[in-house]
Amino acid sequence: MKSNLIDYTLHLADTALILSQRNSEWCGHGPILEQDIAITNISLDLLGQARNFYQYAATLTGGEATEDSLAYLRTEREFKNLLLVEQENGDWGQTILRQYLFSQFQYLMFEKLQQCSDEQLAAIASKSIKETAYHLRWSSEWVCRLGDGTKESHERMLLAIEELWRYTGEMFESAVYETIINVASLKEDWMQRVSAVFSEATLPVPENVFMQTGGKKGIHTELLGFMLTELQYVQRTYPGAEW
Amino acid sequence: MNNFFIKKFFYGDIPEEKGGGSDYQTKHDSTSWPLWEVFIRSKQGLDHKHAGSLHAADAQMAIENARDVYTRRMEGVSIWVVESKYITASNPEEAGELYEPAADKIYRHPTFYQLPDEVNHM
Amino acid sequence: MPVQNFEELFQQKIDNEIKIEPKDWMPDAYRKTNIRQISQHAHSEIVGMLPEGNWISRAPSLKRKAILIAKVQDEAGHGLYLYSAAETLGMSRDEMINDLHSGKAKYSSIFNYPSLTWADMGAIGWLVDGAAILNQVMLCRTSYGPYARAMVRICKEESFHQRQGFETLLVLSRGTEEQKAMCQDAINRWWWPSLMMFGPRDSESTNSDQSMKWKIKRKTNDELRQNFIDMIAEQIKVLGMTLPDPALKWNEERKHYDFGEIDWNEFWNVVKGNGPCNKQRINARRKAHEDGQWVREAAMAYAEKKQSKTKAA
């Protein structure tokens, strides 16, 4: 029971951290200064969420565990983040779409989580949902801008959908440890909202796509190993040092 | 006076003639985003105050950018944005005729009126 | 009114500490100098994001990562304030960015040095931001209103940057042998370049007092550099590290630290594009701008569509 709670909390933490890490790659390289600042802000919000979840997971784990030991000293097979968030930034369209698909899910998920029986998770969710509401607003507006912008931007969004849609199914498949909320029940609502935004953006909602899963169980795409190599490099090189 | 140039440089000020350079040209940005002026209400009960400007494609984006750029440290509770081109500014050369006539209308100020001490708090 | 009178009035305002505002009459050279200085300052903030941004993905703890992201993002914000200030003088941001990408406009040479280890994040915060802050505090009183206001905002926000840099080094200086070595190495590499940030010696400059007279600048390069050295030479004692200058010594008579000769040859080489990272920095900026072209176009196209829709409705 407790190990389920730890695993679930780690899943939430890992997902937020990995998406934060991806978004932060834009810092200094955004399409215009104002949007560089915006995506970096989202990265910072997600990092804050990840830290809250890791700190809670560390308390649950007990012993020597800290937010940093959990983020820096676990391996590819132990990370439980969604496959969607480890996908590469690609162009701005792909980054936007990844953010939107995730934020739309995270928002609905936090709505449930803030009412869950675990007080700590509920508290983190109700603090974080305000941030997520903003991410959702920002990213959905961008989906519309790019989907219904120019011919080029529309085509790029079609490519992004083709690239990312297959990682969305995993969000709604419960992992063994995912007992606190029923993610499957969020699917219909998510689908409806995504369809509405896509329709505004003149983008098609794909049908009958085979869904890739595994992230929640620690079976990732090859990309995660490279991300962790970079993320954990200093901690791994100088074991035990304080920073 | 008009021909001098400044040979001294500061942080972020290196004269062009000594800087080298290349002939690289970026593609001309035919669709650059318009400039917006940002006004922030720092707390409930205060006026909106000019905070600065930024570039955005539309008003919605301008509000969000203003939030990201000018309220990162909880500096605001409300934001106005207006496209800079819609702002009409008075001309400094007309300052005399616009503002000086107010100078001799001292009877508009409360201190103009000498009242007995008994009504001190009027 | 003949131009001569305008200039006299202008100088009177400056002498009386009245700020110059965008629509006020100003000599062409004043406008140009300000555009150049403000835009180069803006470019420095933007290019300055790169050496630090480079370590965001590898920051050694989640706390350090958050601090670093916030700091680099602040720099983007500062670049934005400064571009906005320069735009009030009649040059568009596009033009400024074009000049940066073409190599016509410069940015602070310090950012053409590589950030090689985590300790560099501390050294940049402590030394580079420390040097920048001395300039920026002075610039809060510069004569051009929008520039002065931008600097006030920036100084307020930057006050944590130098502190976090020093604190980063402090932790290293109290850490393992490897961390101490990393700390000393970073200080060694960033010390001289940060002294160069103040520009050439006063004696190298002719016609130097115009921008002092216009109160664009209020202290000379050498004054600021000396302030900086006096400050750092004391602070380094707390770290238990050394500065890589055997000539550095307190001069009781001057009440200042004496210091060794700066390698001006290196300074000019870096300014001219031969620094270790000049090419990478500019290429990164160009790439970001070019890759963003379709995004900016799409957002504009969408905004126009929206607008014509609301008009039709």
Side-chain angles (χ1 to χ4, degrees):
Chain A
M1 189 59 202
K2 191 178 170 193
S3 79
N4 277 351
L5 181 58
I6 294 175
D7 282 349
Y8 179 57
T9 307
L10 285 173
H11 155 69
L12 295 172
D14 291 343
T15 297
L17 176 64
I18 294 299
L19 186 54
S20 166
Q21 179 86 349
R22 276 296 186 218
N23 283 339
S24 76
E25 291 170 20
W26 277 106
C27 186
H29 307 276
I32 184 170
L33 198 45
E34 283 81 352
Q35 296 304 322
D36 199 307
I37 293 171
I39 189 84
T40 307
N41 234 11
I42 293 177
S43 171
L44 204 51
D45 285 345
L46 288 166
L47 180 56
Q49 295 177 8
R51 292 184 66 190
N52 286 328
F53 287 125
Y54 280 127
Q55 284 162 11
Y56 182 43
T59 321
L60 293 170
T61 308
E64 304 274 282
T66 63
E67 56 168 357
D68 287 330
S69 73
L70 294 173
Y72 286 87
L73 301 174
R74 283 156 60 244
T75 65
E76 298 89 318
R77 295 281 284 106
E78 292 168 294
F79 262 70
K80 294 171 178 52
N81 60 281
L82 295 169
L83 297 177
L84 176 67
V85 299
E86 72 199 40
Q87 298 312 304
E88 284 173 313
N89 285 346
D91 61 15
W92 184 251
Q94 197 168 317
T95 294
I96 289 293
L97 185 68
R98 185 183 61 199
Q99 188 63 48
Y100 170 64
L101 296 173
F102 175 72
S103 292
Q104 186 68 77
F105 165 76
Q106 199 193 32
Y107 185 81
L108 297 172
M109 187 263 290
F110 279 160
E111 267 186 338
K112 291 268 189 255
L113 198 62
Q114 58 182 350
Q115 293 161 8
C116 80
S117 55
D118 188 281
E119 271 180 35
Q120 192 60 37
L121 285 182
I124 300 173
S126 60
K127 177 179 179 286
S128 306
I129 196 168
K130 293 181 198 115
E131 295 166 351
T132 305
Y134 182 76
H135 306 166
L136 180 55
R137 166 181 164 163
W138 179 85
S139 60
S140 60
E141 282 168 11
W142 265 110
V143 168
C144 294
R145 278 188 198 108
L146 298 180
D148 192 20
T150 59
K151 188 163 170 288
E152 180 181 0
S153 71
H154 184 79
E155 277 162 14
R156 283 175 184 264
M157 286 309 275
L158 294 179
L159 282 176
I161 293 172
E162 196 183 308
E163 191 63 38
L164 296 175
W165 192 262
R166 64 182 185 274
Y167 299 110
T168 57
E170 187 188 23
M171 300 190 285
F172 309 102
E173 272 186 28
S174 290
V176 185
Y177 52 76
E178 208 166 8
T179 52
I180 291 199
I181 60 171
N182 176 6
V183 277
S185 73
L186 305 175
K187 188 171 182 178
E188 208 184 299
D189 208 356
W190 182 85
M191 200 56 172
Q192 240 171 33
R193 295 184 193 212
V194 171
S195 303
V197 168
F198 274 27
S199 134
E200 168 88 33
T202 69
L203 292 168
V205 177
E207 282 169 51
N208 301 322
V209 174
F210 183 85
M211 291 296 171
Q212 298 292 333
T213 60
K216 289 179 177 181
K217 288 184 292 196
I219 310 285
H220 291 274
T221 59
E222 290 176 342
L223 298 166
L224 183 70
F226 293 99
M227 288 187 78
L228 293 187
T229 303
E230 206 169 320
L231 184 116
Q232 300 178 337
Y233 148 72
V234 180
Q235 285 271 355
R236 299 273 189 194
T237 311
Y238 306 97
E242 294 280 327
W243 303 93
Chain B
M1 184 74 180
N2 287 329
N3 286 333
F4 84 92
F5 60 85
I6 295 195
K7 278 218 176 124
K8 192 154 187 176
F9 16 109
F10 338 105
Y11 175 60
D13 182 30
I14 296 152
E16 284 153 17
E17 78 277 11
K18 275 195 150 179
S22 71
D23 50 8
Y24 173 89
Q25 276 296 314
T26 35
K27 267 188 284 175
H28 183 61
D29 218 329
S30 55
T31 52
S32 59
W33 293 357
L35 191 66
W36 300 72
E37 299 301 321
V38 178
F39 300 83
I40 308 261
R41 184 201 293 286
S42 59
K43 71 178 200 213
Q44 218 61 21
L46 295 182
D47 287 326
H48 285 76
K49 197 176 154 214
H50 186 234
S53 52
L54 49 75
H55 288 269
D58 54 56
Q60 193 59 28
M61 194 196 267
I63 292 264
E64 285 163 20
N65 288 165
R67 173 257 193 201
D68 289 338
V69 173
Y70 291 104
T71 67
R72 291 200 300 283
R73 288 177 172 78
M74 301 181 293
E75 294 98 332
V77 295
S78 163
I79 297 172
W80 289 349
V81 293
V82 59
E83 234 189 288
S84 310
K85 68 178 181 193
Y86 294 119
I87 290 190
T88 310
S90 65
N91 203 330
E93 273 96 80
E94 295 160 1
E97 57 202 84
L98 287 177
Y99 314 115
E100 274 169 30
D104 65 353
K105 300 191 174 56
I106 45 174
Y107 44 82
R108 284 186 188 274
H109 298 273
T111 46
F112 178 73
Y113 303 92
Q114 293 293 328
L115 298 183
D117 289 350
E118 288 80 357
V119 285
N120 215 4
H121 295 293
M122 190 180 277
Chain C
M1 240 188 303
V3 171
Q4 198 54 38
N5 290 356
F6 276 119
E7 276 188 15
E8 269 167 37
L9 284 172
F10 175 81
Q11 190 60 48
Q12 265 171 30
K13 271 198 205 166
I14 302 256
D15 294 342
N16 294 324
E17 298 291 336
I18 295 172
K19 296 278 185 243
I20 306 303
E21 294 297 341
K23 292 191 83 179
D24 294 348
W25 186 91
M26 61 187 87
D28 255 6
Y30 178 85
R31 183 183 298 275
K32 278 187 191 145
T33 305
N34 264 299
I35 289 180
R36 189 178 64 218
Q37 183 173 338
I38 301 169
S39 66
Q40 289 183 3
H41 197 160
H43 297 328
S44 300
E45 296 283 351
I46 300 309
V47 178
M49 295 168 74
L50 299 171
E52 289 177 288
N54 165 15
W55 273 90
I56 289 175
S57 63
R58 292 174 291 171
S61 73
L62 297 180
K63 184 183 89 179
R64 294 286 175 203
K65 191 190 284 286
I67 294 170
L68 188 58
I69 293 175
K71 176 175 188 263
V72 181
Q73 193 205 26
D74 271 352
E75 280 153 16
H78 300 166
L80 192 146
Y81 305 157
L82 288 161
Y83 282 129
S84 300
E87 278 183 286
T88 63
L89 288 161
M91 191 180 206
S92 74
R93 195 198 292 179
D94 277 345
E95 289 173 274
M96 291 185 256
I97 287 177
N98 240 318
D99 285 352
L100 171 68
H101 293 176
S102 73
K104 186 178 167 214
K106 297 297 160 192
Y107 53 89
S108 184
S109 295
I110 193 90
F111 302 117
N112 290 319
Y113 290 87
S115 64
L116 300 177
T117 71
W118 171 251
D120 289 26
M121 295 306 97
I124 290 176
W126 179 42
L127 297 174
V128 177
D129 291 340
I133 286 167
L134 281 180
N135 259 289
Q136 290 172 348
V137 166
M138 167 191 81
L139 287 169
C140 287
R141 295 170 56 233
T142 192
S143 59
Y144 186 57
Y147 193 21
R149 290 192 287 276
M151 290 320 303
V152 168
R153 189 180 279 274
I154 289 172
C155 284
K156 228 189 270 172
E157 298 190 351
E158 283 229 334
S159 54
F160 96 85
H161 291 185
Q162 195 189 9
R163 290 171 72 96
Q164 68 82 32
F166 188 79
E167 195 246 356
T168 298
L169 293 181
L170 192 63
V171 171
L172 295 178
S173 74
R174 294 171 178 175
T176 64
E177 287 310 309
E178 282 163 315
Q179 286 176 305
K180 285 179 192 164
M182 190 189 277
C183 180
Q184 182 63 60
D185 168 64
I187 293 169
N188 291 349
R189 281 183 289 110
W190 289 96
W191 172 246
W192 290 108
S194 60
L195 292 190
M196 296 175 196
M197 282 174 73
F198 295 96
R201 276 179 306 210
D202 296 344
S203 57
E204 301 281 304
S205 314
T206 51
N207 270 341
S208 63
D209 50 17
Q210 184 59 59
S211 67
M212 294 285 273
K213 194 173 160 215
W214 277 339
K215 295 186 181 168
I216 295 174
K217 189 179 164 73
R218 287 168 170 266
K219 283 186 177 181
T220 71
N221 297 351
D222 284 342
E223 275 178 88
L224 284 169
R225 184 164 24 237
Q226 186 70 60
N227 289 352
F228 177 70
I229 291 168
D230 291 348
M231 175 177 83
I232 298 296
E234 288 302 315
Q235 290 171 354
I236 194 148
K237 293 176 186 168
V238 181
L239 292 177
M241 298 280 145
T242 56
L243 293 170
D245 180 2
L248 189 81
K249 206 172 138 227
W250 177 253
N251 183 326
E252 188 54 38
E253 212 171 295
R254 290 202 309 129
K255 299 282 177 209
H256 285 299
Y257 276 90
D258 291 336
F259 55 97
E261 189 53 47
I262 291 167
D263 183 353
W264 293 112
N265 201 23
E266 175 180 323
F267 174 77
W268 286 116
N269 253 322
V270 180
V271 170
K272 283 176 183 152
N274 299 322
C277 299
N278 292 59
K279 206 164 162 41
Q280 291 93 317
R281 301 289 184 242
I282 285 299
N283 284 350
R285 289 312 312 158
R286 286 176 187 168
K287 181 169 188 309
H289 191 74
E290 282 164 11
D291 289 353
Q293 176 77 17
W294 72 271
V295 178
R296 297 189 299 274
E297 274 170 11
M300 253 350 263
Y302 182 76
E304 277 155 22
K305 268 188 216 176
K306 273 271 173 186
Q307 214 163 30
S308 55
K309 259 187 217 164
T310 30
K311 264 181 201 155

